């Protein structure tokens, strides 16, 4: 059945009503997101600006806002890096198994289980981390102190409770695995079948086919998946607040209680009992976290765009 195309006076096809409505709704949704982000930034700036110049008594052991927020920012980034180091290889491996190795009757249930992890609340992960994971890891930390104490990361003294920055990073890793896995699985599955068959026809092994045909095609999606997982790890609040027993200061020792809290967990732990001046300081740290997250997403978008341009050449 032939389709009739309606044209205007200039001969160009008139957009259909449904297309027009959809494009306007999409534009409105994009504008709403930008307005919401701008509103959050304005609120944090107005409410947090006074917290940048408070007397030293509002900054605890630090004398300036920079000295107060630096350990928190360090703890935030350190926990997120630990989570990425653990989660990224596992997520990519699971995504490859589901998309290219496992038979469909096995891959489908695995994919469902991984996706269901994303629906588990942060509080549940925090409870599991503090009641199950931390006590199990305490003997491991003591062993690391005894046999690998010469490594700065395991210098000790080992925590007797297991509530360290390493434990918090492992909990975050489990929380971001579903995000990275789901996106990576989709981009791996979208690799043109012709490219894969051509590589195999030329004598490539399964791994060589993945390395030469799948990874280059999916590189931008893989980077996007990692950056989304990093954003989740940077902003996680309750799980880190429940698991981590922070001692303050900047330290690369992963198995002791000398590590600082993250920005988000510090806000959650101190906001309720804070005075108006202290709350302004906490909001100012939230502004720092907002800017860091924005820069991470901006950098991710730049990397993705650059890779897409390289592939288009």
């Amino acid at each position: 059945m032939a389709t009739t195309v309606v044209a205007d006076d200039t001969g160009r096809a008139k957009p259909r009503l449904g297309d027009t409505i959809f494009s306007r709704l999409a534009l409105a949704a994009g504008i709403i997101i930008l307005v919401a982000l701008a509103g959050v930034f304005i609120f944090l700036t107005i409410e947090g600006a006074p917290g940048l110049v408070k007397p030293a008594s509002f900054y605890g052991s630090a004398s300036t806002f920079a000295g107060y927020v630096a350990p928190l920012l360090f703890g935030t980034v350190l926990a997120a890096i630990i989570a990425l180091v653990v989660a990224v290889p596992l997520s990519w491996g699971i995504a490859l198994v589901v998309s290219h190795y496992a038979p469909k009757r096995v891959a489908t249930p695995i994919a469902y289980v991984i996706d269901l992890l994303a629906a588990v609340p942060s509080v549940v992960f925090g409870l599991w981390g503090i009641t199950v994971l931390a006590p199990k890891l305490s003997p491991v930390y003591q062993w690391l102190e005894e046999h690998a104490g010469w490594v700065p990361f395991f210098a000790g003294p080992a925590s007797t409770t297991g509530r360290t920055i390493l434990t918090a990073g492992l909990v975050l890793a489990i929380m971001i695995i579903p995000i990275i896995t789901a996106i990576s699985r989709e981009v791996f599955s979208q690799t043109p079948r012709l490219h894969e068959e051509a590589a195999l026809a030329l004598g490539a092994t399964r791994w060589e086919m993945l390395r030469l045909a799948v990874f280059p095609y999916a590189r931008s999606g893989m980077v996007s998946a990692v950056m989304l997982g990093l954003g989740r790890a940077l902003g996680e609040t309750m799980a880190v607040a429940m698991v981590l027993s922070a001692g303050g200061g900047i330290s690369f020792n992963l198995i002791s209680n000398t590590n600082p809290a993250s920005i988000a967990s510090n806000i959650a732990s101190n906001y309720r009992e804070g005075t108006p001046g202290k709350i302004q300081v906490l909001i100012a740290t939230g502004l720092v976290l907002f800017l860091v997250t924005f820069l991470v997403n901006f950098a991710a978008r730049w990397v993705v765009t650059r890779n897409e341009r390289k592939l288009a050449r």
Side-chain angles (χ1 to χ4, degrees):
M1 182 177 181
T3 302
T4 302
V5 178
V6 180
D8 56 16
D9 296 337
T10 61
R12 293 179 299 182
K14 289 184 178 180
R16 297 180 179 179
L17 179 60
D19 295 336
T20 302
I21 295 175
F22 179 80
S23 63
R24 298 291 172 81
L25 289 175
L27 177 62
I31 294 175
I32 290 174
I33 292 174
L34 293 178
V35 171
L37 286 176
V40 171
F41 176 74
I42 293 172
F43 167 79
L44 292 175
T45 302
I46 294 175
E47 297 293 331
L52 301 175
V53 291
K54 287 291 183 181
S57 59
F58 287 91
Y59 302 130
S61 58
S63 58
T64 62
F65 177 77
Y68 176 77
V69 76
L72 299 175
L73 183 60
F74 174 81
T76 302
V77 175
L78 181 59
I81 290 176
I82 294 173
L84 288 183
V85 169
V86 176
V88 169
L90 287 175
S91 300
W92 286 349
I94 295 171
L96 286 175
V97 169
V98 172
S99 61
H100 286 83
Y101 282 94
K104 191 171 182 179
R105 65 179 183 275
V106 176
T108 301
I110 294 176
Y112 286 156
V113 171
I114 296 298
D115 291 341
L116 283 175
L117 285 176
V120 179
S122 301
V123 176
V124 175
F125 282 108
L127 288 173
W128 173 78
I130 194 174
T131 59
V132 178
L133 184 62
K136 297 292 184 182
L137 289 179
S138 181
V140 177
Y141 293 158
Q142 295 176 4
W143 185 90
L144 288 173
E145 180 188 4
E146 295 175 1
H147 297 86
W150 52 273
V151 180
F153 297 128
F154 311 126
S159 171
T160 57
T161 62
R163 298 174 59 186
T164 67
I165 193 73
L166 182 55
T167 305
L170 293 176
V171 173
L172 287 177
I174 297 174
M175 296 178 67
I176 66 176
I177 280 177
I179 300 173
I180 302 176
T181 301
I183 299 175
S184 300
R185 184 180 73 241
E186 291 300 320
V187 296
F188 290 158
S189 301
Q190 292 175 5
T191 304
R193 186 65 179 174
L194 184 61
H195 294 185
E196 299 178 2
E197 293 177 350
L200 294 173
L202 291 174
T205 62
R206 180 67 66 89
W207 167 245
E208 290 172 338
M209 180 270 292
L210 293 172
R211 184 168 56 89
L212 299 175
V214 176
F215 289 163
Y217 183 85
R219 185 179 293 116
S220 61
M222 295 166 67
V223 173
S224 299
V226 172
M227 290 303 173
L228 283 175
L230 176 59
R232 171 69 189 276
L234 289 173
E236 178 53 41
T237 303
M238 291 308 301
V240 178
M242 296 172 68
V243 172
L244 181 60
S245 178
I250 296 178
S251 173
F252 287 97
N253 190 345
L254 304 181
I255 62 174
S256 70
N257 293 328
T258 58
N259 295 113
S262 66
I263 292 178
S265 65
N266 181 69
I267 294 174
S269 301
N270 297 292
Y271 190 87
R272 191 172 185 178
E273 295 81 10
T275 62
K278 183 64 175 179
I279 290 176
Q280 290 177 333
V281 174
L282 295 176
I283 294 177
T285 62
L287 176 61
V288 173
L289 180 60
F290 179 88
L291 294 176
V292 170
T293 306
F294 177 81
L295 291 175
V296 167
N297 286 298
F298 181 82
R301 186 60 191 170
W302 178 78
V303 171
V304 170
T305 303
R306 188 185 65 171
N307 288 333
E308 289 177 348
R309 289 175 180 174
K310 287 183 178 180
L311 291 175
R313 293 176 182 175

